[in-house]
Amino acid sequence: MAKRVTGPEIEKLIQLLAKVPGLGPRSARRAALHLIKKKDQLLGPLSNAMGEAYDKVKICSRCGNVDTVDPCIVCTDVQRDQSVIIVVEDVSDLWALERAGAMNAAYHVLGGTLSPLDGVGPDDLNIRGLIDRLGEGGIRELIIAVNATVEGQTTAHYITDQLQGLDVKITRLAHGVPVGGELDYLDEGTLAAALRARTVI
Amino acid sequence: MAKRVTGPEIEKLIQLLAKVPGLGPRSARRAALHLIKKKDQLLGPLSNAMGEAYDKVKICSRCGNVDTVDPCIVCTDVQRDQSVIIVVEDVSDLWALERAGAMNAAYHVLGGTLSPLDGVGPDDLNIRGLIDRLGEGGIRELIIAVNATVEGQTTAHYITDQLQGLDVKITRLAHGVPVGGELDYLDEGTLAAALRARTVI
């Protein structure tokens, strides 16, 4: 702003809100004003929730999930089939797969993908931890659920290579037409994969 | 989520973030994970900034601006021409006009527009405060800078009516073609207004 029209504390709040993904400088101002208008219903509780999260958040030392206990609620859930590990790039993928509710398995968060150009090598990902978990035994299947991007697939190949010789079934997510998707809008690679993997009705 | 995959404190944080304008349930999850990943650079500072704003924020009892002092920095700015008051609907409009940097005047925030259907009458807006400010004398111009909506224009008419007989010049923002706007995309009302208010080059 050309001239200051509000207090430095509020400008600081706007500056920090603008760094939240999904908010830019303009929506950060709108968000800040909304928070201030809903001071007791939203600003106060959100400030407290952030403080609590700051104090309590932990990264699960076993799978890499975000939780307030370590090991996390997923790793200690006896109702899950802990002999199946779904390998994902990011915690958000773990949460997304859980919302699908299709599997009741354990997870392993890599924390990214191999990307030599960005200087991300195997040691920057939580691959060592995955091999350690497999070394403990009792794992019968590893579902590699990385993104269907070049980096994701490179990472999947690397992991598969590393696990050669281990007595564990390694699978990957199916390629195909997204549910609700229109063929006309899909790329050729997806359509070809969907045709190759066609199933009998 | 079907099954809990993270701590209740983090779920609470996501729930509250989803209430911030500009964020929905999905982007709130993404935002929460980003905040947690940037714990010390973003989550902690943002939590503190919200707490500070919560403790210190004040609504200026004179103009309705949001600040940490009352009267606000705009009302006490001796470098502003305090004899000109720009009347706006919302604090966000005050901030937007200040960013334009075209005037160096005082402001008055109404806090909304007249809207009988929503039960918003003159007493729900800060019109009384405006009349009081004019009664103190020393005001030579009132610029009604409400939105060019039906509600905004109704409010502008109401205020103008209330101020009949007072020795103050009342003006409104010009209608016309937005700078950078393309004629083809503008509505007929705007084009007609721009033609009527044409200026000599």
Side-chain angles (χ1 to χ4, degrees):
Chain A
M1 286 172 213
K3 230 176 160 180
R4 180 173 274 182
V5 290
T6 191
E9 294 85 354
I10 295 161
E11 286 187 1
K12 178 89 188 163
L13 174 63
I14 295 170
Q15 263 175 33
L16 287 167
L17 279 172
K19 293 184 185 168
V20 175
L23 298 178
R26 187 175 286 259
S27 44
R29 280 193 299 267
R30 206 176 303 132
L33 281 173
H34 184 83
L35 289 172
I36 287 167
K37 278 181 196 162
K38 304 246 170 193
K39 195 166 168 273
D40 290 308
Q41 303 101 297
L42 195 49
L43 180 59
L46 190 52
S47 166
N48 292 339
M50 285 188 177
E52 278 240 64
Y54 182 84
D55 290 338
K56 296 193 180 168
V57 74
K58 290 185 183 69
I59 307 298
C60 175
S61 56
R62 190 168 169 78
C63 78
N65 186 20
V66 162
D67 201 346
T68 46
V69 287
D70 179 19
C72 77
I73 193 171
V74 174
C75 282
T76 54
D77 186 348
V78 290
Q79 310 224 321
R80 283 177 191 271
D81 182 353
Q82 299 279 350
S83 72
V84 177
I85 297 180
I86 306 179
V87 179
V88 292
E89 290 179 21
D90 197 274
V91 176
S92 57
D93 300 324
L94 187 168
W95 292 6
L97 287 167
E98 274 301 296
R99 286 198 298 280
M103 293 286 291
N104 196 25
Y107 285 88
H108 193 85
V109 180
L110 294 172
T113 46
L114 293 177
S115 178
L117 284 177
D118 300 318
V120 182
D123 294 338
D124 300 308
L125 303 181
N126 190 12
I127 295 177
R128 189 71 252 160
L130 179 63
I131 295 173
D132 289 348
R133 285 177 76 178
L134 291 167
E136 290 169 17
I139 307 298
R140 59 184 173 88
E141 183 175 355
L142 209 65
I143 306 176
I144 314 260
V146 291
N147 289 333
T149 56
V150 173
E151 292 81 11
Q153 297 311 305
T154 308
T155 310
H157 279 126
Y158 178 84
I159 292 174
T160 313
D161 270 0
Q162 294 293 303
L163 304 180
Q164 285 304 327
L166 282 180
D167 183 26
V168 59
K169 185 172 155 192
I170 303 178
T171 56
R172 65 158 175 79
L173 296 183
H175 288 307
V177 180
V179 176
E182 294 184 41
L183 298 195
D184 196 20
Y185 290 94
L186 286 173
D187 64 291
E188 291 75 15
T190 302
L191 287 174
L195 275 173
R196 282 194 300 270
R198 67 195 178 276
T199 53
V200 178
I201 301 179
Chain B
M1 287 173 212
K3 229 175 162 181
R4 180 172 274 181
V5 289
T6 190
E9 294 86 356
I10 295 161
E11 287 188 359
K12 177 90 188 163
L13 174 63
I14 295 171
Q15 261 175 35
L16 288 167
L17 279 172
K19 293 184 185 168
V20 174
L23 298 178
R26 187 176 287 258
S27 43
R29 279 193 299 268
R30 207 175 305 131
L33 281 173
H34 183 82
L35 289 171
I36 287 167
K37 277 180 199 163
K38 304 247 172 193
K39 195 166 168 270
D40 290 308
Q41 303 102 296
L42 194 51
L43 180 58
L46 190 53
S47 166
N48 292 339
M50 285 189 176
E52 277 240 64
Y54 182 85
D55 291 337
K56 296 193 181 166
V57 75
K58 290 185 183 66
I59 307 299
C60 176
S61 56
R62 189 168 170 79
C63 79
N65 185 20
V66 162
D67 201 345
T68 45
V69 287
D70 179 18
C72 77
I73 192 171
V74 175
C75 282
T76 53
D77 186 347
V78 292
Q79 311 224 321
R80 282 175 191 272
D81 182 353
Q82 298 280 348
S83 72
V84 177
I85 298 179
I86 306 179
V87 179
V88 293
E89 291 179 20
D90 198 275
V91 176
S92 57
D93 301 324
L94 187 168
W95 292 4
L97 287 167
E98 276 300 297
R99 285 197 300 280
M103 294 286 291
N104 197 22
Y107 285 89
H108 193 84
V109 180
L110 295 172
T113 46
L114 293 176
S115 179
L117 284 177
D118 300 319
V120 182
D123 294 338
D124 300 308
L125 303 181
N126 190 12
I127 295 177
R128 189 70 252 162
L130 179 62
I131 294 172
D132 289 348
R133 285 177 76 178
L134 291 167
E136 290 169 17
I139 307 298
R140 59 183 173 89
E141 183 175 355
L142 209 65
I143 306 175
I144 315 260
V146 293
N147 289 333
T149 56
V150 173
E151 293 80 10
Q153 297 311 305
T154 308
T155 310
H157 279 126
Y158 178 84
I159 292 174
T160 315
D161 270 359
Q162 295 292 304
L163 303 181
Q164 285 303 327
L166 283 179
D167 183 26
V168 60
K169 185 171 154 195
I170 304 179
T171 56
R172 65 158 175 77
L173 295 183
H175 288 307
V177 179
V179 175
E182 295 184 41
L183 299 194
D184 196 21
Y185 290 95
L186 285 174
D187 64 292
E188 291 75 15
T190 302
L191 288 173
L195 275 171
R196 281 193 301 268
R198 65 194 178 279
T199 53
V200 177
I201 300 179

